[in-house]
Structure formats: C-alpha cells, structure tokens
Amino acid sequence: MNTRLIALAAMAGLVSGCTTTGPASNPIEMRWNGKSAGAFFARYAPPYSDSRTGSETVYNWRGGFNRIKTKDGRTLNVSCAAQLVTGEDYRIRSIRIVADRPGANGPSYCEELLTAR
C-alpha cells in the first residue's frame, strides 16, 4: 500500500511539472499567459532587467508611460511595472503587477494597458 502511495505521489509530481503556464488569476494573465514574451516586449517595450532561476527567467518591466484623464476629470501621469516569468520556451507563465495607478476607466491603468487588443 505504501509503495502505491509513493508511486502515485511521484507520478503526480512529474505530471504537474509538465504544465507550461499556471492558471490565469487576473485579466492580464488571461490575455498574456502562454504567449511569447517577445510579442509582449515588442508591443510595450523591452524589460529593464532579468534574472534566471533554474529553467525560468524573471523579467522586470516598466512601460506604458502616458498622461490620461480619469472619469472624474483629473489628469494623471501613469505607467505600469510588472514582473513576467517565462519558461525555457520564452512563453509567459505569469505576470505580477508591482506598480499601478488608477486608469481612465477604472482602478487599474496596468489592466487597461495590458489587456487592450
């Protein structure tokens, strides 16, 4: 019985290691997870730094510098900062927003910027 449990646990670990992207936890990840980081950087600007951890690379990115008018008529200078994690295939596995401002139409400029088609 113990041998079967150990074998099952080992198999579960192997299978879980085969996934290329995690579940999308926000609209930005829904738009970009699984896509090429090259497409992201070509559209929004290259990262300012990166670091490799095992088979993953973490890119630090900042962009989308703009001046917008909010719903309440305020004018804001905005930008977005994020960390993108890619696998060896250079596909985005996750995006974590690290700095954001209110957007023109809602609470997140990053979401407005990075989910626009």
Side-chain angles (χ1 to χ4, degrees):
M1 182 70 172
N2 284 339
T3 307
R4 284 185 182 173
L5 287 176
I6 292 170
L8 181 61
M11 185 59 81
L14 287 173
V15 171
S16 69
C18 294
T19 60
T20 57
T21 61
S25 62
N26 60 56
I28 297 168
E29 286 189 335
M30 288 174 54
R31 165 80 170 89
W32 287 101
N33 276 11
K35 305 254 179 13
S36 168
F40 180 94
F41 297 136
R43 182 168 182 166
Y44 298 112
Y48 63 84
S49 70
D50 62 79
S51 61
R52 190 147 174 94
T53 306
S55 64
E56 294 183 332
T57 304
V58 177
Y59 294 95
N60 294 299
W61 171 86
R62 185 171 192 96
F65 298 95
N66 204 355
R67 189 171 175 89
I68 63 168
K69 186 165 268 198
T70 62
K71 286 184 194 179
D72 61 6
R74 294 184 314 155
T75 301
L76 299 174
N77 292 317
V78 294
S79 64
C80 179
Q83 284 188 329
L84 287 78
V85 177
T86 66
E88 290 179 338
D89 59 358
Y90 201 52
R91 299 226 171 257
I92 297 171
R93 291 186 176 185
S94 67
I95 299 177
R96 183 175 70 89
I97 302 302
V98 294
D100 197 0
R101 297 287 306 257
N105 300 307
S108 172
Y109 173 69
C110 290
E111 187 173 315
E112 291 176 10
L113 174 72
L114 300 177
T115 60
R117 297 264 173 182

